[in-house]
Amino acid sequence: MSNFYDNDETPSIFDVAMAYENGGIIRPKTNVVVNTNRLWYGGKSTVSAFLATAYDERGNKIDSMEGYFLEPQVDYDSAKVAGGDKAIMYGTYNVVPKIELERKINKKRRESGEKDVTLRYDWYVDDVPGRSGIAIHGGTNGDHTSGCLLLGDAFEYDERVNDYKIKNSTTKKDELFRFFSNYGRNGIKINIGL
């Protein structure tokens, strides 16, 4: 069995168990940081550039990818209003897989006697002040999001409607989700810029 740590340390029993799940390879405890900058503002939407970077447990950069997010229009006075159709407040948040957020939500729902929910998308921005259900998913324009982040590898401005459209959303979504799955084992953070 190969040892990722490439040193004289003996892997823990957890590392060994994970190695068997991963075909005999001990995988590093990596994390991902996604940095965004909101740069283009339209009538119904906002476009930001993003850079997702994967780091190993020692903080060394091991991979990165870039793209664009399309969000609803920015209005910081309304950003924390539940159910609002505006971009979320700038800040740093955790990105969690659907199953983790479902567990968290359903635990609270069971305590209050409510039925479990099933979430629709694969990845969510968690603990956004005043908001819930902020997903990262595919789509093409501001009508396809009410706070969520739509992915693309390009965008264009449509003067007729004073708004932006994101391009190749499904391809970029699949690429980012593979990146999260491959490198986000030790956590994923997203820094939403102004």
Side-chain angles (χ1 to χ4, degrees):
M1 176 171 34
S2 58
N3 185 351
F4 164 80
Y5 302 106
D6 198 23
N7 56 29
D8 295 330
E9 293 178 25
T10 304
S12 71
I13 191 69
F14 176 77
D15 290 332
V16 173
M18 289 303 294
Y20 282 111
E21 281 186 33
N22 295 312
I25 299 169
I26 295 177
R27 297 191 185 266
K29 294 177 183 171
T30 57
N31 63 22
V32 173
V33 176
V34 181
N35 289 302
T36 74
N37 284 316
R38 291 174 172 155
L39 299 170
W40 300 276
Y41 301 88
K44 293 182 183 178
S45 63
T46 303
V47 177
S48 59
F50 78 82
L51 174 66
T53 307
Y55 298 93
D56 67 18
E57 65 185 7
R58 294 183 181 108
N60 299 310
K61 177 183 168 182
I62 54 176
D63 202 355
S64 65
M65 65 168 287
E66 57 190 37
Y68 298 96
F69 286 125
L70 185 134
E71 304 173 78
Q73 185 181 44
V74 170
D75 178 353
Y76 292 120
D77 292 331
S78 302
K80 295 181 181 180
V81 175
D85 189 18
K86 300 297 179 193
I88 63 174
M89 184 59 79
Y90 55 87
T92 300
Y93 306 103
N94 290 315
V95 175
V96 297
K98 167 184 173 174
I99 191 164
E100 184 177 322
L101 189 58
E102 278 180 350
R103 282 187 199 126
K104 180 179 173 179
I105 291 169
N106 289 331
K107 180 180 179 190
K108 289 180 183 178
R109 291 178 67 87
R110 287 183 200 124
E111 290 170 358
S112 63
E114 298 178 73
K115 291 184 180 182
D116 285 358
V117 296
T118 301
L119 298 176
R120 179 176 174 184
Y121 299 109
D122 294 331
W123 293 90
Y124 287 83
V125 180
D126 197 19
D127 294 326
V128 176
R131 306 286 286 278
S132 63
I134 304 298
I136 300 172
H137 63 85
T140 57
N141 60 47
D143 293 332
H144 296 153
T145 176
S146 58
C148 298
L149 304 170
L150 309 182
L151 286 152
D153 66 3
F155 66 94
E156 68 182 8
Y157 180 72
D158 186 343
E159 289 183 20
R160 294 172 294 144
V161 294
N162 183 30
D163 209 6
Y164 289 97
K165 293 182 179 179
I166 202 91
K167 294 183 167 194
N168 303 316
S169 188
T170 301
T171 303
K172 186 55 73 172
K173 173 183 67 86
D174 293 346
E175 182 183 355
L176 183 62
F177 289 3
R178 272 192 309 275
F179 194 86
F180 285 170
S181 295
N182 288 340
Y183 299 119
R185 288 180 291 280
N186 217 29
I188 301 169
K189 295 277 188 194
I190 187 166
N191 298 309
I192 303 286
L194 292 170

